[in-house]
Amino acid sequence: MAKVEPSTLPPLRIVGRSVTRSDAREKVSGAAQFSADRFMTQGLLHGKTLRSPHPHAEIIALNTEKAEALPGVRAVISYKDAPKNPFEDGSPAGSKGAIAPVYVLNRTVRHVGDEVAAVAADSEEIAEEAARLIDVEYRPLPFVLDAEAALEPDAPSVRGGSNLAGDAPIEFARGDVERGLSEAEIVVEGTYRTQSTSPLALEPRYCLAWWENDKLTVWKASRNVYGDREKLARVFDLPHEQIRVIGPYLGGGFGSKDETRLGAITALLARKTGRAVRMGYTREEELGYGKWRHATSTRIRMGLKRDGSITFIDAASALNTGPYAPGFGVASRLGHGLTYLYSCPNARFVGKVAFTNSPVAGSYRGLGAPQAHFALESLADEAAEKLQMDPLEFRLRNHVRPEGQPGARTTPLDNLVPAQPIEGGVPFSSNLLAECLREGARRIGWTPRPHGPRKIRADGKYRGMGLAACIYKTGQSQSSAVVKVKSDGSAELLMSIAEIGQGAWTILRQIVAEALEMDFEKVQATFADTATTPFAHSTSGSTTTFTSGLAALKAAEDAKRQIFETASRLLEGEPARLQIRDGMVSIIETPEIRVPLGHVIRRHKEQIVIGEAKLRAGSKTHIINSFAAHFAEVEVDPEAGCVRVLRYVAVHDSGRIIHPEAARGQIVGGVVQGLGYALMEEIPIDPESGAPQTLNLDSFKIPNFLDIPPIDAVLIEQPDPVGPYGAKALGEPPLVPVAAAIANAVYDAVGVRIRDLPISAEKVRTAIQQQRR
């Protein structure tokens, strides 16, 4: 087994420090930073939206006269002012139902909190008062709040056609599930439900928009400035070169800081007023309408032989996506988690994304993987108990091996292997899941329990341990980077990646500094500005270190190649024999023969070296996935039902670790988010009004210091042959297996299986009482 602590790998020469707020605000978006002073000649206006009190309604009358008459109000907009081009398309050609398109503002509102109108005024207070003065008459329409109910034939239509997004489920399969069923000697099955919850980034999303004639500049919370530019160009019918989108550092994101219409509404207000307008979400708006995690219902069956091998896995999920932004990517991530963690010749997934009148769901750290792993890893424990096998032993026997899944490859040989495959016959680039399981068991002090829950009693309470394994994609997408090396010996990295708290500012500079053999502090970065930084993928799906890191590495290597070509003429040595040390370019064998780096740069065209890279990350021969094994010890009060996590061990295979401190921070932070998801976080909806019931931190419970146990974050390092310096994904995996590990620990403690999240005290107490009857 690979040694865990300390790492056997030599550290990178450049050890960067973690990003700080001051670093990010001053440097991350160099050209993207701005001061409100530039707008003070006319005055910066403040925007506020009026939101629907109904889950589904048609606006039949809207009067803005009182709002417009309020002193300090500069503009009021509604669906009457919306551009003719949609923000989100309706039905594709040939689809069964007429799905209505979504505009910047709409005459039909489809969830409580949907935008009805917006105001721009001299102050936030005036804007809020004006929004309250808008008179709206609604005609309430039938509504549906639950995904499964929305998929029934007689359900109210949310968008004017079928409530099944895309008119068809997402389906993929490997092998033959029916054959696997015929071979099974034991079949276990269950239904598992997960709740809606909010990412709850500390800083709410904000946007500032400003027009100069027909040119639009937007500063906004964003993971994808080029994607935002594309949407704004379509809505306002403008060429790309007339729109600039800048993504300044605006705090953590966890996937939630875009996908709304905030940017387009703010830009529409700015166009109508002819002035710069700033608008953002309140905490209540973030919690109630700021993109939730998809609530899901998953039915899963697993076939087993008596020796413990798996003959088939068959899963079907319904996802509540709200009325907009169908979550096809979430469903695909869910299906990958359900079908690829365990070696199994026959697997199938059917995902149905349902339009409902709940507030809109969207990206949240891990997408559908936490929902998938809660279902699969809970069922895995149930399967082990049926077999009278220890849960750890079940996973060690059945987890997917480095050679990949059984079966034949279906991806053409000259294509990149998908990051979330279903096919067999493709090996992993690296896979240390077995080592993660064994090391985690050793650290937690795992005791085999082949005969089911142990129910260890101590001081009137019960203790138990649980585990869950995890598989997760390493983000593979398009990226590009530019590295400029200047005559003063410094370098600048330009990328359209967004710094959203994940540490891109540190990690990517580290990679460039390592490649250029340069001091870390000499490398600066400009991120997320469509006018100055090259195209890049969305900052999502655990892509920063792997995909962005590869692009940054290739651009730095291109710059280094040019430096060595120029220096080779000065030093009369082959480029392959040169090195950079302490600001000097020298010959490796005779380092005293050297020339200052700045002198080499000044001999280059325009006295600057520009390295460039454009790529689509991935492999044509291997699957690039990360793995983890999590272990939890809990204490359960049988009378109150309260669950307290006593210890937690999280062991991760994420390749070589570029920045160990940041990596452990990612693990600890992900586990804490997972604790909230498992035990307490939930946004219930009033079934009568359709309104979210937890709109502030007095009712939306998140883990505090008393809830957080000691967390042992462990990194098993083995360089991956594809990633930059051997790195793989780590941003999202730490959250993924937490709920399942805790649910399994609760079962070991008290013998009750909670199959719907969160695992609240009320659910546990009720289950214990029913067990006693």
Side-chain angles (χ1 to χ4, degrees), residues 91-150:
S91 299
S95 60
K96 298 176 184 176
I99 302 297
V102 180
Y103 297 92
V104 175
L105 292 165
N106 300 272
R107 188 166 187 170
T108 299
V109 290
R110 297 183 175 89
H111 69 88
V112 171
D114 208 352
E115 293 95 336
V116 172
V119 176
D122 292 344
S123 70
E124 291 185 16
E125 294 77 12
I126 295 173
E128 289 176 2
E129 177 62 25
R132 286 192 289 268
L133 292 175
I134 298 173
D135 291 325
V136 185
E137 185 179 350
Y138 299 93
R139 180 173 69 87
L141 299 172
F143 62 91
V144 60
L145 302 172
D146 175 76
E148 291 174 292

Side-chain angles (χ1 to χ4, degrees), residues 3-24:
K3 189 175 181 182
V4 180
E5 297 284 358
S7 172
T8 57
L9 296 175
L12 297 180
R13 287 187 297 273
I14 308 301
V15 179
R17 55 192 170 84
S18 297
V19 65
T20 66
R21 185 181 300 269
S22 60
D23 280 336

Side-chain angles (χ1 to χ4, degrees), residues 31 55 61 165 170 190 198 223 305 316 402 456 501 657 668 674 678 702 712 719 773:
I170 294 171
S198 168
R223 299 181 302 158
K305 292 186 176 180
I456 299 173
I657 302 304
V668 171
I702 61 174
D712 189 4
R773 291 172 186 167

Side-chain angles (χ1 to χ4, degrees), residues 37 40 101 149 274 289 349 400 408 453 497 594 598 669 673 700 702 718:
D37 292 344
M40 284 304 131
Y289 328 115
F349 171 72
V400 65
I497 195 77
R594 59 186 186 174
Q673 278 189 309
F700 185 76
I702 61 174
Q718 175 178 299

Side-chain angles (χ1 to χ4, degrees), residues 465-480:
M465 286 185 183
L467 79 149
C470 165
I471 186 172
Y472 201 80
K473 61 166 279 190
T474 286
Q476 300 169 214
S477 54
Q478 290 180 307
S479 190
S480 52

Side-chain angles (χ1 to χ4, degrees), residues 30-330:
Q33 300 306 312
F34 66 93
S35 168
D37 292 344
R38 66 189 299 183
F39 305 118
M40 284 304 131
T41 54
Q42 292 183 314
L44 179 65
L45 299 178
H46 301 267
K48 184 65 181 177
T49 54
L50 173 67
R51 296 183 178 274
S52 169
H54 299 284
H56 199 192
E58 180 187 1
I59 298 171
I60 58 176
L62 190 148
N63 190 318
T64 62
E65 291 180 358
K66 292 179 183 178
E68 291 169 325
L70 186 68
V73 171
R74 305 301 173 182
V76 181
I77 59 172
S78 70
Y79 69 89
K80 301 174 185 178
D81 305 279
K84 63 180 180 180
N85 294 329
F87 183 84
E88 182 180 312
D89 288 331
S91 299
S95 60
K96 298 176 184 176
I99 302 297
V102 180
Y103 297 92
V104 175
L105 292 165
N106 300 272
R107 188 166 187 170
T108 299
V109 290
R110 297 183 175 89
H111 69 88
V112 171
D114 208 352
E115 293 95 336
V116 172
V119 176
D122 292 344
S123 70
E124 291 185 16
E125 294 77 12
I126 295 173
E128 289 176 2
E129 177 62 25
R132 286 192 289 268
L133 292 175
I134 298 173
D135 291 325
V136 185
E137 185 179 350
Y138 299 93
R139 180 173 69 87
L141 299 172
F143 62 91
V144 60
L145 302 172
D146 175 76
E148 291 174 292
L151 295 171
E152 292 293 330
D154 58 348
S157 176
V158 175
R159 293 275 294 272
S162 170
N163 288 334
L164 177 60
D167 283 328
I170 294 171
E171 298 185 59
F172 44 81
R174 174 178 68 251
D176 184 344
V177 166
E178 299 307 318
R179 183 177 64 223
L181 176 60
S182 68
E183 295 171 352
E185 297 171 305
I186 299 171
V187 175
V188 292
E189 57 187 309
T191 298
Y192 303 86
R193 302 180 189 279
T194 65
Q195 76 279 34
S196 297
T197 187
S198 168
L200 199 71
L202 180 62
E203 303 88 350
R205 71 197 72 208
Y206 261 83
C207 176
L208 189 151
W210 182 41
W211 293 81
E212 290 182 285
N213 299 318
D214 59 352
K215 293 184 178 180
L216 170 64
T217 302
V218 173
W219 294 262
K220 70 184 293 289
S222 175
R223 299 181 302 158
N224 185 357
V225 290
Y226 276 87
D228 285 329
R229 186 182 72 170
E230 177 67 32
K231 282 195 172 183
L232 290 168
R234 183 174 65 168
V235 166
F236 291 103
D237 198 19
L238 291 173
H240 289 161
E241 58 268 22
Q242 289 179 215
I243 298 178
R244 181 182 185 184
V245 179
I246 302 166
Y249 181 59
L250 292 175
F254 311 120
S256 70
K257 286 280 184 79
D258 52 9
E259 301 173 339
T260 68
R261 285 174 271 155
L262 175 64
I265 293 172
T266 308
L268 189 59
L269 281 171
R271 188 172 70 174
K272 189 167 184 178
T273 61
R275 292 164 61 176
V277 176
R278 186 185 71 168
M279 185 159 59
Y281 278 26
T282 64
R283 175 60 59 206
E284 289 80 4
E285 288 173 318
E286 282 287 354
L287 269 170
Y289 328 115
K291 297 290 184 178
W292 295 352
R293 186 182 292 286
H294 288 72
T296 64
S297 173
T298 297
R299 178 73 174 173
I300 181 171
R301 297 187 300 159
M302 180 184 290
L304 306 156
K305 292 186 176 180
R306 296 200 182 278
D307 64 2
S309 58
I310 301 172
T311 65
F312 79 92
I313 294 173
D314 190 16
S317 298
L319 297 84
N320 186 339
T321 201
Y324 311 127
F328 301 130
V330 178

Side-chain angles (χ1 to χ4, degrees), residues 304 306-310 342 377 380-381 383-385 387-401 434 437-438 441 446-451 467-469 631:
L304 306 156
R306 296 200 182 278
D307 64 2
S309 58
I310 301 172
Y342 290 109
E377 286 297 84
D381 261 33
E385 186 174 0
L387 293 164
Q388 294 191 324
M389 183 183 293
D390 176 55
L392 174 62
E393 179 62 25
F394 179 82
R395 289 166 173 81
L396 287 170
R397 287 194 189 188
N398 286 296
H399 74 83
V400 65
R401 297 302 196 261
L437 287 163
R438 292 191 179 98
W446 182 265
T447 302
R449 68 288 308 269
H451 303 296
L467 79 149
F631 294 75

